[in-house]
């Protein structure tokens, strides 16, 4: 319904009513205009109608949707199943070109525009979350781990010829280690330091290892921000300074760290004061979209690796993860995004209190982990013993009660990951002094979730103790 | 509406009518049963209602959709924007786990089931297309090129320590070369042999180069099947034999080759008679889904690399490309898939005749390229001259007339790709004796497309000559 | 994406690609323009993307969808359930105003526009189907029968004060009789004349009855065109002449007659040569939409009752049936509508041949009913006897085999409908000389339907005879 | 995914995960079970996934959706346009049969089930809103006015032969008067009594008129509950007693009265203590669905007219309005419905305070109308004068500011509606002593609406006075 068509509509419906309707349409177009011109989150979240209309219309700018297109190439974005076409709004060309996943496509002006917007709005969202002085960023349709691999692959040619080591403060989650291995590099795990309840980066050990291996042989130090308590975020700023001093690469696995203002502040400080080549984060965990995307970002002082990462992705890629983020950010707008972040910060304190109270009631303790702004850990000291069931059984009790995401970490588990042997696996160190259970105050978690969790945990504790008692009785 | 609820419905609507309705529902469940038990394409394509109902119901088996789930982890598949949730049928957990993109997820029985089915049906579809003796295959949410990179990354640790070369019969398309480079490997381009109009693998050169570099230093030979005429598919079987003889890896870029029975036959022969480590193909080009996925397959004699590739992808990945393929294969069923393939084969001959006739009318010639079952090339000898416009201008004339996918290849273009310099770029050889235009008879192309293409080409030829004449007149 | 926004997009994507995309959007707007300016079916059917975009955009012209609307009335078209809003494209104001269901609404320019278009395109579709010299028509969200009632209610005040009779050539289907009764009028059934196999209007009886009751006491003659064989369409033209001569109203129940060129021709002739006040038809049966709408039409010589009908509907009404028809007509366009009609005509002959052959094989006969261009009747003489099962049992055998829509009419059934007693009910006359089964060649029926029907009928005949034989054997 | 298929899924995904998923599915089936067995609003509102799955599955119980149906009738619910089929969840058979719009359909078990449920849940919702002792109710796909017409048509045959009058306490809204006229009856308007600011039923006049016309000549008294202030709801209970005493019909136009607990209480009292034949209400205004449906209800003492109304609707009808209500009530559940009603009651008081404050600021007054629990009226005494613009202009100022639903009622308007002449039209009486503006606290109105309304009204008042001043200046 462009101006011409609104004029024609005046022949069918009273001009004054049409005029008011046309004005309403113009207001929607202005919402689009604001985003296209400011290239930032809209000042108010868009309603569904505006989002859909915008995407559907832009999709019609792709050649596969031209009324009179004739495609005689090997890839013409034809879609056989109508349901599939519909769920992608008839966007089928993907993003990028064979040389660069960030490049625009001649056949797909619409897809190219949406991909560009997705990247621009994500950059704005990162900035608003606290990643100041952002230099460059790109959204990739890859898992965080795979994005780490690609980042390391893009970084390697920029390092001295023989460089092959990646220094890696231990974190007991498989992804990062496998990402390093998949890149054909050699991970060098560094033990953490236990300070009070908390596990922290051992900077002295890092520097020692750097010297031992020789910085020229090191591709990068890969550290982790967001992680399960009682591990703290690595000492981002200090590591950045070390990397700058030794002139080695520095990649930050910030998987779900965007949602924490504290972590964003540290990352910002790090790329201002030291060397940071790339910060990698997930789209699903930070933007509440389905699993599938990652964002690689860098600060203003050293933005170059982001473009290299884009160029390292050979071929066209799925647009779905970018579109999901774009739709979500339009839906939220600046206030929605700010509100989601603020709600999470508040939830963290709410959960801390609730779990603290729980701990007090049960003779347990919330571990003191001030360096972890997202995850909390609750000791399970009163459950551990030689009598069955083992502490780990609490995990399956919770699983059966539809509690997901919590982890029971019992001492003494051994594991081999990507060729590396670990003891005390799960606890990020060889011998953590407690069994414990973790809880995450993640984006989207609600107070109702916390309350229900505590309620079910109560039930599980009671049932666990009853089983223990009856087993003890049977034994005794 | 399970049996209980149908029984209750009998209290509201006549039992005999409800009985007939319940029977109709049971028939739909049997369609699902057939696929779950046979793990093959359904005997008849499913209608939209069955596809949607199945996926929606299975999606409710994921924990994020449980009515009473309490998520307290860092990744609970919460989706902020309802439009996003809807387009993914509320599937948000993605596929795989941190250690293996093919692994199932405890939190997501539904997603895991759909991912498994997607893989099983794709394997069946490959077999039906002619890839007999299939040993293993996996669908990855990656571009073909990125899948090639990942395949090479997974292959490398299986090769001798210092191996770093990839032998690569030249093809003038950036993806493959960049894929090799992104994997941190060194591509060694091999010139093709011109036989008649056709460009073919130079086996002697390949063997010579293998000997020169030493097989232990070679990670793999990477060849290409589907490509633009006048390049032929590489000599798949012969290369497989060479690789077996020299014990080097062999990866086949079969980007859009599944759609050709001839290419499938050759790949099958190759992995039966020689060494093939992996065959990589695109989902969008072969299954008419939006860009975003690739299939890595291997024959029965050497299936191992496929699992290694799955393990090399660190982290959870987007499910969208798998779901698209699954929906499409259910939509087609065995007969629909067979029909799509058959239609393409017929279209190839139809196009050949139509272009032949065009060529005859205009004093041009369809290049003889029996080794390319998908692409055709038409000489542009009568257009080339010193007088403007240049031959390449024909391309933009076609673009403006909404013809996409055709390429005008004019002689003498130089290019640097991934650090390698090429002359005659676009023509796959330094000095091809003709300017030409390519056409692809790809899956989904219709006779109406061919007819419209020929019609618009006629117009462009006429207009091109008119411009040339007026330019010539101006000059003369 | 108006011109302003396309211009802004040039800052994000190459101007030449954006230009091509913008041109593609402009082409879609031109499709809309053509319909708005010509007010006829589009020259080619619209694709789904165009239909959706158009309706979604127009829906945003309704006040309930204004970004900044403040509604403080009792009816502000707020929709509580998002799923409901979505399925109606957020159109919630319905059609009409309290005084006139055809009136436009100040609050809903979009809905008003769509309703107007629906009416205009339906008028065009009627004309194209063969209803020439159409004077006025309106689409109502009412069943055909309810539309008949409303038509009679609107007609009555235009007739002399005491008029209360409706003359009605018998048709054994409840709707029409109930429609007359619901309007508070008194139906006077007229027996049909049996001519050969066919039941036809008895004009002499009609005139006699008119004279007996006195034309001033008669509101209208209500006749039927589309009906089950062996009843023929009433003699439309002759009745129109009689009504003109006697100056009584004439309403035609043309329920599914639009789909027959022959019936349309007769209706046209009737309103050209005699008196026709209104012709009522169903939207679902003639336009393949869900049940819910009717069209009241009139010829150029006497168009006035249509407006009176609109005015007789008090209050705003559901827009759904109009929107369904509009979407369908845009989807078909002129060629799709023509093709659907042509396919039906061909199917009629195809079915006739197939059933004729069946009849010959089984010693039955297709009744000769040249006056019925839609329905066919097959004798069941060889099945009838005193031995069980009764002929009617064939009907439930077909029902169980998922054959719907066929009717087995056995002799001798009595029924009371709307206070009138009938014998031989179902056969439109007291004593039709055959049992028979009906078949309709309706819009959308396919050759595959006919073939499957004949196949299942064969099975049922065989099974029926087997049961009869075994029952006979048991008896004998 | 019935039990069989879940069992098969165990061969593809870990049994324990499948088991948890299957349990989740079972929980959804239990939600359905609860509604089917209790036939009341669910205890908690359903989420979108459950609603959609339920309706889609039930839709597959209709014969047009059977995988192997062969339709050879004239009405087989084929849908030509896929978009249309989708938006109706492939439900195409409508509701009812030719004899009864409440009857079930052999071809459509699913539609029949949904229609039954819609009726049952609406009955429950009415009861919960306060209509106690409900005897019968039916949801019709008709405007409230048309439902009134049908109700009167169904009532008339139950009244003495010559009865033709309908007594009707005046309300200045066209629908009701037209509804009476469309039914072929004669409306006898009764003037209201002005008591304080409020317009009330003049019972003495009603009885006088009844006696004058003779009760046997009166079909019914039709009164109105929900209306614009300063008119009060008619005196429902007293009229019911009068009708019982005189043995005449009594139909209540309760268009948007369900949302008011006070009105529901009065209706209940009326049908307990006096005669009420039918109460007619709109679905859109009371249940926040798109325009299109009405509910006809009756109390336990005299439930019979409801069935007669169903039988008076000849033919199958649109299912859309029933489905919309069903979906909405499932979406709300009992708590959602209760919350919506409670919010409205609170809003009424909020608005009253806000408008009162506005009035005080501007020298106006909120009219005292305790008998109207939904609408409020604000005097415009300070705006009226001989100087332009006229008071009515305030209405278009508000319209241009996107305020909809408010009415400016200026004195002295004459109108002819359905043949009746009125003076003071809009004010429900010949000479109301104030100009005024109405506001409705309707279901779904929010505090934000009230605040925005007051804000814009402030602006309009200011602007109005400025124009008046400048006009006055110009004049002076």
């Amino acid at each position: 319904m462009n101006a011409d068509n609104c004029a024609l509509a005046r022949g069918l419906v009273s001009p004054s009513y049409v005029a008011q309707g046309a004005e309403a349409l113009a207001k929607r177009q202005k919402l689009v205009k604001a985003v296209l011109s400011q290239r930032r989150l809209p000042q108010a979240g868009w309603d569904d109608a505006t989002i859909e209309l915008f995407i559907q219309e832009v999709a019609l700018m792709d050649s596969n949707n031209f009324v009179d297109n004739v495609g005689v190439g090997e890839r013409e974005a034809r879609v056989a199943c109508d349901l599939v076409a519909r769920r992608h709004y008839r966007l089928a060309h993907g993003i990028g070109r064979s040389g660069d996943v960030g490049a625009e496509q001649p056949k797909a002006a619409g897809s190219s525009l949406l991909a560009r917007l997705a990247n621009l709005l994500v950059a704005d969202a990162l900035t608003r979350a606290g990643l100041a002085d952002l230099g460059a960023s790109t959204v990739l349709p890859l898992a965080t781990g795979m994005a780490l691999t690609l980042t390391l692959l893009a970084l390697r040619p920029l390092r001295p010829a023989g460089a092959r080591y990646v220094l890696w403060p231990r974190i007991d989650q498989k992804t990062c280690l496998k990402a390093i291995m998949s890149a054909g590099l050699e991970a060098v795990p560094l033990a953490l330091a236990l300070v009070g309840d908390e596990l922290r980066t051992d900077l002295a050990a890092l520097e020692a290892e750097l010297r031992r291996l020789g910085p020229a042989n090191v591709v990068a130090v890969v550290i982790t921000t967001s992680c399960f308590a009682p591990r703290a975020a690595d000492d981002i700023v200090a590591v950045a300074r070390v990397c700058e001093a030794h002139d080695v690469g520095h990649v930050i696995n910030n998987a779900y760290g965007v949602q924490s203002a504290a972590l964003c502040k540290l990352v910002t400080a790090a790329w201002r004061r030291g060397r940071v080549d790339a910060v990698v984060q997930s789209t699903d965990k930070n933007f509440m979209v389905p699993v599938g995307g990652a964002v690689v970002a860098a600060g203003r002082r050293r933005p170059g690796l982001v473009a290299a990462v884009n160029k390292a992705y050979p071929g066209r890629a799925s647009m779905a993860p970018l579109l999901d983020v774009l739709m979500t950010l339009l839906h939220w707008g600046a206030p929605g995004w700010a509100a989601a972040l603020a709600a999470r910060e508040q939830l963290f304190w709410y959960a801390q209190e609730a779990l603290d109270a729980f701990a007090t009631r049960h003779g347990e303790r919330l571990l003191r982990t001030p360096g972890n702004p997202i995850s909390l850990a609750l000791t399970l000291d009163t459950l551990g013993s030689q009598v069955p069931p083992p502490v780990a059984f609490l995990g399956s009790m919770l699983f059966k009660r539809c509690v997901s995401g919590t982890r029971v970490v019992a001492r003494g588990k051994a594991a081999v990951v990507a060729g590396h042997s670990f003891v005390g696996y799960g606890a990020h160190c060889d011998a953590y002094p407690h069994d414990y259970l973790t809880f995450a105050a993640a984006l989207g978690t609600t107070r109702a979730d916390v309350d229900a969790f505590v309620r079910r945990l109560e039930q599980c504790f009671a049932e666990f103790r009853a089983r223990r008692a009856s087993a003890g009785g049977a034994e005794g």
Side-chain angles (χ1 to χ4, degrees), chain A:
Chain A
M1 292 302 290
N2 57 11
D4 271 14
N5 287 335
C6 284
L8 282 168
R10 282 189 195 104
L12 297 166
V13 175
S14 292
S16 69
Y17 304 160
V18 172
Q20 207 182 27
E23 210 175 294
L25 290 178
K27 273 181 199 157
R28 303 252 175 198
Q29 290 285 352
K30 269 180 207 154
L31 297 178
V32 174
K33 185 177 183 178
V35 166
L36 289 177
S37 57
Q38 296 161 21
R39 302 173 183 189
R40 304 180 60 189
L41 298 190
Q43 284 185 329
W46 287 8
D47 61 4
D48 284 2
T50 307
I51 296 175
E52 282 192 300
L53 205 65
F54 172 60
I55 294 176
Q56 286 173 337
E57 221 178 342
V58 170
L60 297 181
M61 298 173 77
D62 279 8
S63 64
N64 61 312
N65 296 321
F66 290 178
V67 169
D68 50 1
N69 200 60
V70 171
V72 293
E74 82 289 6
R75 187 189 59 81
E76 294 296 338
R78 292 186 188 97
V79 179
C81 175
D82 187 50
L83 289 173
V84 170
R86 294 180 70 81
R87 80 188 202 92
H88 292 289
Y89 298 93
R90 302 187 174 85
L91 294 160
H93 272 290
I95 55 164
R97 302 190 68 178
S98 45
D100 186 338
V101 81
E104 62 184 19
Q105 300 189 44
K107 284 188 192 176
S111 292
S112 301
L113 180 61
L114 294 172
R116 278 283 279 148
L117 272 184
N119 274 295
L120 289 163
L121 295 201
V122 164
D124 185 42
L126 295 180
T127 304
R128 287 172 191 271
L131 287 173
D133 284 343
L134 180 71
S137 67
T138 185
V139 187
L140 298 170
L142 292 175
T144 316
M146 191 69 211
L148 272 171
T149 299
L150 195 65
T151 301
L152 292 170
L153 287 171
L155 178 58
R156 194 189 192 172
L158 311 173
R159 300 289 302 145
R164 70 172 191 278
Y165 297 111
V166 170
L167 271 62
W168 171 73
R170 175 172 170 185
I171 172 161
D172 288 359
Q173 202 260 351
K174 290 178 186 170
T175 296
C176 195
L177 202 49
K178 300 211 69 163
I180 296 164
M181 191 188 69
S182 287
L185 303 174
E186 208 165 304
V188 181
L190 299 171
L192 302 170
L194 181 62
V195 182
D197 287 339
E198 196 169 59
L199 293 158
R200 300 190 185 158
T201 319
D202 186 339
L203 283 169
L206 170 64
E207 294 222 66
E209 199 66 17
L210 264 179
R211 272 190 298 270
R212 190 180 68 84
L213 298 168
N217 295 318
V218 173
V219 172
V221 181
V222 174
I223 65 167
T224 306
T225 57
S226 51
C227 57
F228 294 110
R231 192 192 191 282
D234 275 312
D235 191 343
I236 316 175
V237 181
V239 174
R241 281 180 168 143
V242 168
C243 289
E244 178 136 289
H246 293 271
D247 194 22
V248 297
H250 181 201
V251 173
I252 300 175
N253 179 7
N254 189 38
Y256 46 102
V258 177
Q259 65 192 286
S260 159
L263 294 178
C264 287
K265 206 170 160 186
L266 290 171
V267 169
T268 301
W271 69 31
R272 278 178 176 158
R273 298 185 210 156
R275 172 169 178 168
V276 175
D277 293 79
V279 187
V280 180
Q281 36 265 315
S282 128
T283 54
D284 60 293
K285 290 172 194 157
N286 292 299
F287 298 112
M288 297 180 71
V289 291
V291 164
V295 186
V296 181
R300 208 169 278 170
R301 280 182 56 205
R302 187 180 273 271
L305 192 59
V306 170
V309 168
N310 274 346
K311 286 205 170 61
Y313 189 112
R316 274 170 193 79
S318 172
M319 191 193 193
L322 278 82
L323 188 59
D324 291 343
V325 177
L326 175 60
M327 291 170 76
T328 302
L329 293 178
L330 291 173
H331 164 75
W332 267 333
W337 174 229
L341 292 172
R344 197 210 69 81
E345 302 284 348
Q346 285 159 19
L347 188 96
F348 181 75
W349 300 109
Y350 182 81
Q352 200 162 40
E353 270 182 45
L355 290 175
D356 220 27
F358 178 91
T360 305
R361 284 199 296 282
H362 289 274
E364 300 288 358
R365 194 160 68 76
L366 209 52
L367 294 171
R368 275 216 73 239
T369 50
N372 191 321
I374 295 171
S375 174
L376 297 166
L378 177 81
T379 60
L380 298 176
D381 293 339
T382 66
L383 300 187
S385 97
Q386 302 307 333
V387 184
V391 161
F393 185 70
L394 184 70
S396 36
M397 290 169 74
L398 286 162
F399 176 79
K400 280 211 183 121
R401 280 186 169 75
C402 292
V403 172
S404 63
T406 185
R407 290 193 185 193
V408 172
V409 178
R411 276 161 290 187
K413 191 176 159 197
V416 178
V417 178
H420 297 267
S421 297
F422 295 95
V423 291
Y425 196 74
H428 319 290
C429 70
D430 292 358
Y432 193 76
H434 301 278
D435 295 343
Y436 59 85
L437 168 149
T438 64
F439 168 98
L443 212 66
T445 313
T446 62
R447 293 184 173 208
D449 288 330
V450 173
D451 296 345
F453 171 63
V454 170
R455 217 159 38 236
R456 297 187 197 177
L457 191 59
E458 292 275 9
Q459 294 164 353
C460 290
F461 256 62
E463 199 188 306
F464 189 97
R465 284 183 167 136
R467 289 179 78 126
R468 173 73 54 88
S470 82
E475 280 188 5

